[in-house]
Amino acid sequence: MSVEDLTRADIERILDRAQSFAEVSGRAIKKVPALRGRTVLNLFYEASTRTSSSFELAAKRLSADFVSVRAQGSAVDKGESLKDTVRTLSAYDPALVVIRSPWAGAAELVARWAPAAVVNAGDGKREHPTQALLDLYTLWQRVGALDGLKVWIVGDVLHSRVARSNVLAFRRMGCEVTVAGPPTLVPREIESLGCRVRASLDELAEADVVYALRMQRERMEGAFVPSLREYAARYQIDGRRLSPQQVLMHPGPVNRGVELSAEVIDSPQALIAQQVEAGVVVRMAVLYELLASGGQQEPAAGLGLQAPVPAVVEVAGQSA
Ligand code: ASP
């Protein structure tokens, strides 16, 4: 539901397991039988490219049966309520439901109505926990230990579920987090999550990691910035603002020329493609954790997140 539900040990276990799945993803036949015979249901009430496709691939690589329902083109279009939809789809006896919706708290409701395990794949402006996990994984693979890293999250924090989940997740892993953006797009309460707030990028040079957010225009009901051009002039991450030792992250989709300039998107410092790739193995680890770990809470590989090492772990003692 939320990164708040996860301890540091939980996160490390999931990331360790994701690393073991990375080995599976490197094979010609990218499948293990861990979830054979189980059904995973994607229920998406909002647009998605990366999240929905990576959950689908994750379920299929674990050999689950996979069903996808999108609000558009389904009975939701005809006015069926979330509760009725969940009850109807529960007739298929899914082991797990992945839900994305524009309503904060929707995943909790689904969990109340369906006997299945539930994963929050983004609920309105509130949280997107698997995005935070895949971001931690990507960064860990790139830089090793995360303790003490200085992370700047820049842009439209107000409308971003990624910002909330990521502040919580980076803090949990011992990073120092700063959020920066126009005061109209940075809610003051965000400080209560344990981060600093800045209204300018003047001190951006101190950051080890620059995490840019998309301007979420679909969630803006008024003018939060005078113009996108003015926003870009003050807050765009470009070749001038990004220094060579910093790494750049973005959850996608990117508004090219708004929050990021083309030169930095395509630079070797950008981890954007790696984030997408990590989405599959991290979501495999989340599905595995909920459905196949049998309540085992020990680290998958005992790596303790010191430094990434090549994966040699067999998945549940089986490889296929
Ligand atoms: N893909 C992410 C989300 O669904 C970030 C974004 O859309 O800007 O929240």
Side-chain angles (χ1 to χ4, degrees), residues 100 128 161-162 214 216 251-253:
R100 160 162 297 185
H128 193 357
R161 52 194 172 209
V162 173
R214 182 173 65 90
Q216 315 248 322

Side-chain angles (χ1 to χ4, degrees), residues 46-51 100 121-122 124 127-128 131 159-162 211 213-216 218-219 250-254 259:
E46 269 190 347
S48 173
T49 302
R50 284 151 280 265
T51 307
R100 160 162 297 185
E127 279 226 42
H128 193 357
Q131 176 74 48
H159 300 100
S160 174
R161 52 194 172 209
V162 173
Y211 194 106
L213 299 168
R214 182 173 65 90
M215 283 291 269
Q216 315 248 322
E218 78 279 17
R219 298 211 170 89
H250 188 294
V254 176
E259 64 266 4

Side-chain angles (χ1 to χ4, degrees), residues 237-249:
I237 307 300
D238 58 13
R240 206 165 33 95
R241 293 202 167 110
L242 192 71
S243 57
Q245 74 283 2
Q246 293 173 324
V247 297
L248 174 67
M249 303 180 80

Side-chain angles (χ1 to χ4, degrees), residues 9 12 15 31 33 38 65 88-89 169 174 220 240 300 303 317:
E12 291 182 347
L15 269 48
K31 250 192 198 312
R38 318 290 293 275
D65 293 326
T88 302
L89 295 170
M220 294 184 190
R240 206 165 33 95
L303 301 176

